[in-house]
Amino acid sequence: MRNTMIFLALALLAGSLVASPMMLSSVYSGIQGFCSSVRSLLPVAAMLMVVLAGVIYAGGQIMGAETRARANVWATACLTGALIAILIVVVAPPVLNAIYGQSNININIC
């Protein structure tokens, strides 16, 4: 049983080494497409979250005290999410290039 498991592991390793260039290129193109989609979606989502925060806050002001308090928390959460989305779009690429800019690995997929 143990020899069979070792043989199976080696066969899988050999198969993955043979197929790795083709698999890596498809993974690379998939990651590149995902990254470009996220970079185009995050600013829109951030703006919608800012608008949603305003609507939630305004809606909470016309309700009772408990709902007003909950609406303030929800609006703050929306604004925090929008701020994080903007930081990801604006700050993350220069930080990653500063960290990995001198390496031999090509990570410039975005």
Short mmCIF file of all heavy atoms in Angstrom, two decimals, residues 60-109:
data_model
loop_
_atom_site.label_atom_id
_atom_site.label_comp_id
_atom_site.label_asym_id
_atom_site.label_seq_id
_atom_site.Cartn_x
_atom_site.Cartn_y
_atom_site.Cartn_z
N GLY A 60 -31.75 56.53 8.29
CA GLY A 60 -31.70 56.29 9.73
C GLY A 60 -32.10 57.51 10.54
O GLY A 60 -32.59 57.38 11.66
N GLN A 61 -31.89 58.70 10.00
CA GLN A 61 -32.20 59.92 10.73
C GLN A 61 -33.70 60.14 10.89
O GLN A 61 -34.13 60.85 11.80
CB GLN A 61 -31.56 61.13 10.05
CG GLN A 61 -30.06 61.14 10.10
CD GLN A 61 -29.52 61.06 11.51
OE1 GLN A 61 -29.91 61.81 12.39
NE2 GLN A 61 -28.62 60.12 11.75
N ILE A 62 -34.49 59.56 10.01
CA ILE A 62 -35.94 59.75 10.13
C ILE A 62 -36.60 58.64 10.94
O ILE A 62 -37.80 58.67 11.15
CB ILE A 62 -36.60 59.84 8.73
CG1 ILE A 62 -36.39 58.56 7.94
CG2 ILE A 62 -36.09 61.03 7.97
CD1 ILE A 62 -37.15 58.52 6.63
N MET A 63 -35.81 57.68 11.40
CA MET A 63 -36.35 56.56 12.19
C MET A 63 -36.15 56.85 13.67
O MET A 63 -35.71 57.91 14.06
CB MET A 63 -35.64 55.26 11.80
CG MET A 63 -35.78 54.88 10.36
SD MET A 63 -37.47 54.47 9.97
CE MET A 63 -37.33 54.06 8.26
N GLY A 64 -36.42 55.83 14.46
CA GLY A 64 -36.27 55.95 15.92
C GLY A 64 -34.81 55.92 16.33
O GLY A 64 -33.88 55.77 15.52
N ALA A 65 -34.59 56.03 17.64
CA ALA A 65 -33.23 56.14 18.17
C ALA A 65 -32.41 54.87 17.93
O ALA A 65 -31.22 54.95 17.56
CB ALA A 65 -33.28 56.45 19.66
N GLU A 66 -33.02 53.71 18.12
CA GLU A 66 -32.27 52.47 17.93
C GLU A 66 -31.90 52.27 16.46
O GLU A 66 -30.76 51.90 16.14
CB GLU A 66 -33.09 51.28 18.43
CG GLU A 66 -32.35 49.97 18.34
CD GLU A 66 -33.18 48.80 18.85
OE1 GLU A 66 -34.16 49.02 19.59
OE2 GLU A 66 -32.81 47.66 18.51
N THR A 67 -32.83 52.54 15.58
CA THR A 67 -32.56 52.40 14.15
C THR A 67 -31.54 53.44 13.70
O THR A 67 -30.70 53.17 12.84
CB THR A 67 -33.86 52.55 13.34
OG1 THR A 67 -34.82 51.64 13.87
CG2 THR A 67 -33.64 52.25 11.89
N ARG A 68 -31.61 54.64 14.27
CA ARG A 68 -30.63 55.68 13.94
C ARG A 68 -29.23 55.24 14.32
O ARG A 68 -28.27 55.43 13.57
CB ARG A 68 -31.00 56.98 14.64
CG ARG A 68 -30.09 58.13 14.28
CD ARG A 68 -30.49 59.41 15.00
NE ARG A 68 -31.88 59.72 14.72
CZ ARG A 68 -32.74 60.17 15.61
NH1 ARG A 68 -32.37 60.35 16.87
NH2 ARG A 68 -33.98 60.44 15.28
N ALA A 69 -29.09 54.63 15.48
CA ALA A 69 -27.77 54.16 15.92
C ALA A 69 -27.26 53.05 15.01
O ALA A 69 -26.08 53.04 14.62
CB ALA A 69 -27.85 53.67 17.36
N ARG A 70 -28.13 52.14 14.62
CA ARG A 70 -27.72 51.07 13.71
C ARG A 70 -27.37 51.62 12.34
O ARG A 70 -26.42 51.17 11.69
CB ARG A 70 -28.81 50.01 13.58
CG ARG A 70 -28.95 49.15 14.81
CD ARG A 70 -30.03 48.11 14.58
NE ARG A 70 -30.21 47.30 15.75
CZ ARG A 70 -29.64 46.11 15.93
NH1 ARG A 70 -28.85 45.63 15.01
NH2 ARG A 70 -29.86 45.43 17.03
N ALA A 71 -28.13 52.60 11.88
CA ALA A 71 -27.86 53.20 10.58
C ALA A 71 -26.50 53.90 10.58
O ALA A 71 -25.78 53.87 9.57
CB ALA A 71 -28.97 54.17 10.20
N ASN A 72 -26.15 54.54 11.68
CA ASN A 72 -24.84 55.17 11.77
C ASN A 72 -23.72 54.13 11.66
O ASN A 72 -22.70 54.36 11.00
CB ASN A 72 -24.71 55.95 13.07
CG ASN A 72 -25.47 57.25 13.04
OD1 ASN A 72 -25.78 57.77 11.97
ND2 ASN A 72 -25.79 57.78 14.22
N VAL A 73 -23.90 53.00 12.31
CA VAL A 73 -22.90 51.93 12.24
C VAL A 73 -22.80 51.39 10.82
O VAL A 73 -21.70 51.19 10.29
CB VAL A 73 -23.24 50.81 13.25
CG1 VAL A 73 -22.34 49.61 13.05
CG2 VAL A 73 -23.12 51.33 14.67
N TRP A 74 -23.93 51.17 10.17
CA TRP A 74 -23.92 50.64 8.80
C TRP A 74 -23.30 51.63 7.83
O TRP A 74 -22.55 51.26 6.93
CB TRP A 74 -25.33 50.29 8.36
CG TRP A 74 -25.96 49.15 9.11
CD1 TRP A 74 -25.31 48.19 9.83
CD2 TRP A 74 -27.35 48.88 9.22
NE1 TRP A 74 -26.22 47.33 10.39
CE2 TRP A 74 -27.48 47.72 10.03
CE3 TRP A 74 -28.49 49.48 8.74
CZ2 TRP A 74 -28.71 47.17 10.34
CZ3 TRP A 74 -29.72 48.92 9.05
CH2 TRP A 74 -29.82 47.79 9.83
N ALA A 75 -23.63 52.92 8.01
CA ALA A 75 -23.05 53.94 7.13
C ALA A 75 -21.54 54.04 7.33
O ALA A 75 -20.79 54.19 6.36
CB ALA A 75 -23.72 55.29 7.39
N THR A 76 -21.11 53.93 8.57
CA THR A 76 -19.67 53.95 8.84
C THR A 76 -18.99 52.74 8.21
O THR A 76 -17.89 52.85 7.65
CB THR A 76 -19.41 53.97 10.36
OG1 THR A 76 -20.09 55.10 10.91
CG2 THR A 76 -17.94 54.05 10.67
N ALA A 77 -19.63 51.59 8.27
CA ALA A 77 -19.06 50.39 7.65
C ALA A 77 -18.97 50.56 6.13
O ALA A 77 -17.98 50.16 5.51
CB ALA A 77 -19.90 49.17 7.99
N CYS A 78 -19.98 51.17 5.52
CA CYS A 78 -19.94 51.40 4.07
C CYS A 78 -18.80 52.35 3.71
O CYS A 78 -18.08 52.14 2.73
CB CYS A 78 -21.26 51.97 3.58
SG CYS A 78 -22.56 50.75 3.43
N LEU A 79 -18.64 53.42 4.49
CA LEU A 79 -17.55 54.37 4.21
C LEU A 79 -16.19 53.73 4.41
O LEU A 79 -15.25 53.98 3.65
CB LEU A 79 -17.70 55.61 5.09
CG LEU A 79 -18.85 56.53 4.74
CD1 LEU A 79 -18.96 57.65 5.75
CD2 LEU A 79 -18.67 57.09 3.34
N THR A 80 -16.07 52.86 5.41
CA THR A 80 -14.81 52.16 5.64
C THR A 80 -14.50 51.22 4.48
O THR A 80 -13.36 51.14 4.02
CB THR A 80 -14.87 51.38 6.96
OG1 THR A 80 -15.18 52.29 8.02
CG2 THR A 80 -13.55 50.69 7.25
N GLY A 81 -15.50 50.51 4.01
CA GLY A 81 -15.31 49.63 2.85
C GLY A 81 -14.91 50.40 1.61
O GLY A 81 -14.04 49.97 0.84
N ALA A 82 -15.52 51.56 1.40
CA ALA A 82 -15.16 52.39 0.25
C ALA A 82 -13.72 52.89 0.37
O ALA A 82 -12.97 52.90 -0.61
CB ALA A 82 -16.12 53.58 0.13
N LEU A 83 -13.33 53.29 1.56
CA LEU A 83 -11.96 53.75 1.77
C LEU A 83 -10.95 52.63 1.52
O LEU A 83 -9.91 52.84 0.88
CB LEU A 83 -11.80 54.29 3.20
CG LEU A 83 -10.42 54.79 3.58
CD1 LEU A 83 -10.08 56.03 2.77
CD2 LEU A 83 -10.37 55.09 5.06
N ILE A 84 -11.24 51.44 1.98
CA ILE A 84 -10.34 50.30 1.76
C ILE A 84 -10.25 49.97 0.27
O ILE A 84 -9.18 49.69 -0.25
CB ILE A 84 -10.79 49.10 2.60
CG1 ILE A 84 -10.52 49.37 4.08
CG2 ILE A 84 -10.08 47.82 2.16
CD1 ILE A 84 -11.09 48.34 5.01
N ALA A 85 -11.38 50.04 -0.44
CA ALA A 85 -11.36 49.77 -1.88
C ALA A 85 -10.51 50.79 -2.62
O ALA A 85 -9.72 50.44 -3.50
CB ALA A 85 -12.78 49.77 -2.43
N ILE A 86 -10.62 52.05 -2.24
CA ILE A 86 -9.82 53.09 -2.89
C ILE A 86 -8.34 52.90 -2.57
O ILE A 86 -7.47 53.05 -3.44
CB ILE A 86 -10.31 54.48 -2.47
CG1 ILE A 86 -11.69 54.74 -3.08
CG2 ILE A 86 -9.35 55.57 -2.88
CD1 ILE A 86 -12.40 55.95 -2.56
N LEU A 87 -8.04 52.53 -1.33
CA LEU A 87 -6.64 52.28 -0.96
C LEU A 87 -6.06 51.10 -1.74
O LEU A 87 -4.90 51.12 -2.14
CB LEU A 87 -6.52 52.03 0.54
CG LEU A 87 -6.63 53.26 1.43
CD1 LEU A 87 -6.62 52.85 2.89
CD2 LEU A 87 -5.53 54.24 1.14
N ILE A 88 -6.87 50.07 -1.95
CA ILE A 88 -6.38 48.92 -2.72
C ILE A 88 -6.06 49.34 -4.14
O ILE A 88 -5.02 48.96 -4.69
CB ILE A 88 -7.43 47.78 -2.70
CG1 ILE A 88 -7.47 47.13 -1.33
CG2 ILE A 88 -7.13 46.74 -3.77
CD1 ILE A 88 -8.59 46.13 -1.15
N VAL A 89 -6.91 50.14 -4.75
CA VAL A 89 -6.71 50.54 -6.14
C VAL A 89 -5.53 51.49 -6.27
O VAL A 89 -4.71 51.37 -7.19
CB VAL A 89 -7.98 51.18 -6.71
CG1 VAL A 89 -7.73 51.82 -8.05
CG2 VAL A 89 -9.08 50.13 -6.84
N VAL A 90 -5.39 52.43 -5.34
CA VAL A 90 -4.39 53.49 -5.49
C VAL A 90 -3.05 53.11 -4.88
O VAL A 90 -2.00 53.35 -5.49
CB VAL A 90 -4.92 54.80 -4.86
CG1 VAL A 90 -3.86 55.87 -4.85
CG2 VAL A 90 -6.15 55.27 -5.60
N VAL A 91 -3.06 52.51 -3.71
CA VAL A 91 -1.81 52.31 -2.97
C VAL A 91 -1.17 50.94 -3.24
O VAL A 91 0.06 50.83 -3.23
CB VAL A 91 -2.08 52.50 -1.46
CG1 VAL A 91 -0.86 52.19 -0.63
CG2 VAL A 91 -2.54 53.91 -1.18
N ALA A 92 -1.95 49.92 -3.49
CA ALA A 92 -1.39 48.57 -3.60
C ALA A 92 -0.39 48.41 -4.76
O ALA A 92 0.67 47.82 -4.55
CB ALA A 92 -2.51 47.55 -3.72
N PRO A 93 -0.65 48.90 -5.98
CA PRO A 93 0.34 48.69 -7.04
C PRO A 93 1.72 49.31 -6.77
O PRO A 93 2.73 48.63 -6.96
CB PRO A 93 -0.33 49.30 -8.28
CG PRO A 93 -1.78 49.21 -8.00
CD PRO A 93 -1.91 49.42 -6.52
N PRO A 94 1.82 50.58 -6.30
CA PRO A 94 3.16 51.09 -6.00
C PRO A 94 3.86 50.35 -4.87
O PRO A 94 5.08 50.16 -4.90
CB PRO A 94 2.92 52.55 -5.62
CG PRO A 94 1.61 52.90 -6.18
CD PRO A 94 0.82 51.65 -6.22
N VAL A 95 3.09 49.91 -3.88
CA VAL A 95 3.70 49.17 -2.76
C VAL A 95 4.24 47.84 -3.25
O VAL A 95 5.36 47.44 -2.91
CB VAL A 95 2.68 49.00 -1.61
CG1 VAL A 95 3.19 48.00 -0.59
CG2 VAL A 95 2.38 50.32 -0.96
N LEU A 96 3.44 47.12 -4.05
CA LEU A 96 3.91 45.83 -4.57
C LEU A 96 5.11 46.00 -5.50
O LEU A 96 6.03 45.19 -5.49
CB LEU A 96 2.78 45.11 -5.30
CG LEU A 96 1.67 44.58 -4.39
CD1 LEU A 96 0.56 43.98 -5.23
CD2 LEU A 96 2.21 43.56 -3.42
N ASN A 97 5.12 47.06 -6.31
CA ASN A 97 6.28 47.29 -7.17
C ASN A 97 7.50 47.67 -6.35
O ASN A 97 8.62 47.32 -6.72
CB ASN A 97 5.97 48.39 -8.19
CG ASN A 97 5.09 47.88 -9.30
OD1 ASN A 97 5.10 46.69 -9.61
ND2 ASN A 97 4.32 48.76 -9.90
N ALA A 98 7.32 48.37 -5.24
CA ALA A 98 8.46 48.70 -4.38
C ALA A 98 9.00 47.45 -3.70
O ALA A 98 10.21 47.31 -3.53
CB ALA A 98 8.04 49.73 -3.33
N ILE A 99 8.12 46.54 -3.33
CA ILE A 99 8.56 45.33 -2.66
C ILE A 99 9.22 44.37 -3.64
O ILE A 99 10.29 43.83 -3.39
CB ILE A 99 7.38 44.65 -1.94
CG1 ILE A 99 6.92 45.51 -0.77
CG2 ILE A 99 7.77 43.26 -1.45
CD1 ILE A 99 5.65 45.02 -0.11
N TYR A 100 8.56 44.14 -4.78
CA TYR A 100 9.02 43.12 -5.71
C TYR A 100 9.67 43.69 -6.96
O TYR A 100 9.93 42.96 -7.90
CB TYR A 100 7.84 42.23 -6.14
CG TYR A 100 7.27 41.42 -5.02
CD1 TYR A 100 6.01 41.71 -4.51
CD2 TYR A 100 7.99 40.38 -4.46
CE1 TYR A 100 5.48 40.97 -3.47
CE2 TYR A 100 7.47 39.64 -3.41
CZ TYR A 100 6.22 39.93 -2.93
OH TYR A 100 5.70 39.20 -1.91
N GLY A 101 9.93 44.97 -7.00
CA GLY A 101 10.47 45.60 -8.20
C GLY A 101 11.86 45.12 -8.58
O GLY A 101 12.20 45.05 -9.75
N GLN A 102 12.69 44.75 -7.62
CA GLN A 102 14.07 44.35 -7.89
C GLN A 102 14.24 42.86 -8.07
O GLN A 102 15.33 42.39 -8.33
CB GLN A 102 14.97 44.82 -6.75
CG GLN A 102 14.96 46.32 -6.54
CD GLN A 102 15.46 47.07 -7.75
OE1 GLN A 102 16.35 46.62 -8.45
NE2 GLN A 102 14.87 48.24 -8.01
N SER A 103 13.17 42.09 -7.94
CA SER A 103 13.31 40.64 -8.05
C SER A 103 13.32 40.21 -9.51
O SER A 103 12.97 40.95 -10.40
CB SER A 103 12.18 39.94 -7.30
OG SER A 103 10.98 40.13 -7.99
N ASN A 104 13.72 38.98 -9.74
CA ASN A 104 13.73 38.41 -11.09
C ASN A 104 12.37 37.88 -11.50
O ASN A 104 12.17 37.49 -12.64
CB ASN A 104 14.76 37.28 -11.16
CG ASN A 104 16.16 37.81 -10.98
OD1 ASN A 104 16.44 38.95 -11.32
ND2 ASN A 104 17.04 36.99 -10.44
N ILE A 105 11.45 37.82 -10.58
CA ILE A 105 10.12 37.29 -10.86
C ILE A 105 9.27 38.38 -11.46
O ILE A 105 9.19 39.49 -10.94
CB ILE A 105 9.47 36.75 -9.57
CG1 ILE A 105 10.34 35.67 -8.94
CG2 ILE A 105 8.07 36.23 -9.86
CD1 ILE A 105 9.89 35.26 -7.57
N ASN A 106 8.61 38.08 -12.56
CA ASN A 106 7.74 39.04 -13.21
C ASN A 106 6.36 38.96 -12.58
O ASN A 106 5.59 38.08 -12.87
CB ASN A 106 7.67 38.75 -14.72
CG ASN A 106 6.87 39.82 -15.45
OD1 ASN A 106 6.54 40.85 -14.88
ND2 ASN A 106 6.59 39.55 -16.70
N ILE A 107 6.04 39.93 -11.70
CA ILE A 107 4.74 39.92 -11.05
C ILE A 107 3.86 41.05 -11.55
O ILE A 107 2.82 41.31 -10.99
CB ILE A 107 4.88 40.01 -9.52
CG1 ILE A 107 5.52 41.32 -9.14
CG2 ILE A 107 5.60 38.86 -8.96
CD1 ILE A 107 5.15 41.81 -7.78
N ASN A 108 4.28 41.72 -12.59
CA ASN A 108 3.53 42.86 -13.09
C ASN A 108 2.35 42.37 -13.91
O ASN A 108 2.31 42.52 -15.11
CB ASN A 108 4.43 43.77 -13.91
CG ASN A 108 3.80 45.11 -14.16
OD1 ASN A 108 2.78 45.44 -13.57
ND2 ASN A 108 4.41 45.87 -15.04
N ILE A 109 1.39 41.74 -13.25
CA ILE A 109 0.25 41.19 -13.96
C ILE A 109 -0.90 42.16 -14.02
O ILE A 109 -1.83 41.98 -14.79
CB ILE A 109 -0.21 39.87 -13.34
CG1 ILE A 109 -0.60 40.05 -11.88
CG2 ILE A 109 0.83 38.80 -13.52
CD1 ILE A 109 -1.19 38.83 -11.26
#
